[in-house]
Amino acid sequence: MVEGLARSGTRDTVILSPRGKSSQLAARHGLAICADNHELVERSDIIILAVRPEDAVGAIQGLPWRKNQIVISVCAGVALSQFPAIPARIVRAMPLTATEINASPTVFYPDVREARALIARLGPAIALGSEKEFEIATVNAAIYGWAQDIVRQSVVWGSSRGADETLMRQLVAQTFVAAGRMIAETAQPMEAILGDLVTPGGITELGLQVLDLEGQPAAWQAACEAVLARLTATGT
Ligand SMILES: NC(=O)C1=CN([C@@H]2O[C@H](COP(=O)(O)OP(=O)(O)OC[C@H]3O[C@@H](n4cnc5c(N)ncnc54)[C@H](OP(=O)(O)O)[C@@H]3O)[C@@H](O)[C@H]2O)C=CC1
Ligand SMILES: O=C(O)[C@@H]1CCC=N1
């Protein structure tokens, strides 16, 4: 997110907590590092909370919060009700690592103007109407990783069969971009978009049959259900 904010040319000042990758980020983008989170909260209007879910509640405790501040929590599965009451407003968001190239479709809830403006610097900002809907949409953050893994596996397979790895990387990645764009940018039902490309008796149909025999789409759906169950379990 810091990379994306820096690339977005924001004139807002970004300051960092002293933890994690702060030294590298500060050096790369010329950012200030606070002495501690107390100073960070004192100096900030919007605070991005990006600690592991189990550390989320503890991380915001005992800090000098004030009204009109906004905390954007990206901690997966940490419900608004799990946070202690603080004067600042908490907004949940679920960015993808594509924030780094300002291309992350990021869901968030509730729709708070200042949070939306920051999130929109990192790619499409998608406000959701309820926390329940936000949790379901959060499964997509894991799907993003699975999609990357399918790209990776396809490239590894292609190069193991003799194709150039650099070429395969671009080909497969751009194919996923093309698949996504066809669905995102045309209004046809998805079944019709797929139907247009599946030649009866052809290679796509053959592969879909093999995938079905090998456990798709049941395996994919089971993975989605497992992630949603984790996200909605209390006390993550
Ligand atoms: N990785 C991703 O693509 C995404 C992650 N998220 C969410 O972001 C959160 C972090 O994930 P990820 O970056 O992968 O995890 P990491 O474990 O890589 O990073 C967690 C970071 O939190 C820092 N940290 C812990 N406690 C504090 C604190 N009190 N104050 C400041 N910093 C603290 C750690 O610093 P130190 O090393 O010094 O302990 C570490 O740098 C998770 O809740 C995850 O659900 C959401 C969307 C996407
Ligand atoms: O894997 C995770 O739990 C985090 C949340 C979404 C992406 N990374």
Side-chain angles (χ1 to χ4, degrees):
M1 292 180 82
V2 173
E3 295 283 353
L5 287 173
R7 274 174 58 116
S8 75
T10 176
R11 278 178 294 165
D12 297 333
T13 305
V14 176
I15 54 177
L16 303 170
S17 159
R19 303 279 295 271
K21 298 176 186 160
S22 56
S23 308
Q24 299 100 296
L25 288 168
R28 195 175 314 141
H29 300 294
L31 305 176
I33 302 177
C34 295
D36 51 30
N37 288 345
H38 194 282
E39 182 195 340
L40 183 94
V41 169
E42 268 183 348
R43 291 176 56 184
S44 305
D45 300 316
I46 302 179
I47 294 88
I48 298 173
L49 179 67
V51 301
R52 291 189 187 177
E54 60 271 27
D55 297 327
V57 169
I60 70 164
Q61 273 166 342
L63 296 173
W65 300 107
R66 47 182 200 277
K67 270 178 82 171
N68 301 326
Q69 278 179 321
I70 294 166
V71 178
I72 300 179
S73 166
V74 302
C75 304
V78 183
L80 292 174
S81 61
Q82 288 174 256
F83 288 107
I86 55 171
R89 182 127 196 228
I90 301 179
V91 174
R92 296 183 65 185
M94 191 43 55
L96 312 180
T97 52
T99 50
E100 184 180 330
I101 53 170
N102 307 92
S104 168
T106 301
V107 289
F108 65 103
Y109 173 83
D111 188 1
V112 173
R113 183 172 48 84
E114 295 87 345
R116 188 187 333 131
L118 185 145
I119 291 165
R121 294 181 182 280
L122 305 171
I126 303 162
L128 294 181
S130 70
E131 195 168 15
K132 182 165 186 271
E133 196 181 0
F134 174 83
E135 290 293 18
I136 296 166
T138 293
V139 176
N140 182 64
I143 292 174
Y144 167 70
W146 307 339
Q148 287 202 14
D149 196 52
I150 293 184
V151 172
R152 185 189 63 79
Q153 287 184 42
S154 304
V155 174
V156 168
W157 174 82
S159 59
S160 78
R161 303 294 288 179
D164 179 79
E165 187 176 333
T166 306
L167 179 147
M168 283 300 286
R169 178 175 170 143
Q170 288 304 316
L171 176 63
V172 180
Q174 294 300 337
T175 298
F176 270 69
V177 172
R181 286 192 59 190
M182 278 298 289
I183 291 177
E185 298 175 25
T186 64
Q188 274 183 291
M190 285 183 286
E191 291 76 10
I193 297 172
L194 182 60
D196 274 350
L197 74 91
V198 180
T199 303
I203 58 172
T204 312
E205 186 180 86
L206 171 65
L208 285 170
Q209 286 164 353
V210 173
L211 286 169
D212 188 54
L213 278 172
E214 297 287 338
Q216 293 288 20
W220 194 274
Q221 285 163 3
C224 291
E225 290 297 340
V227 171
L228 183 59
R230 164 80 72 83
L231 288 169
T232 50
T234 51
T236 48

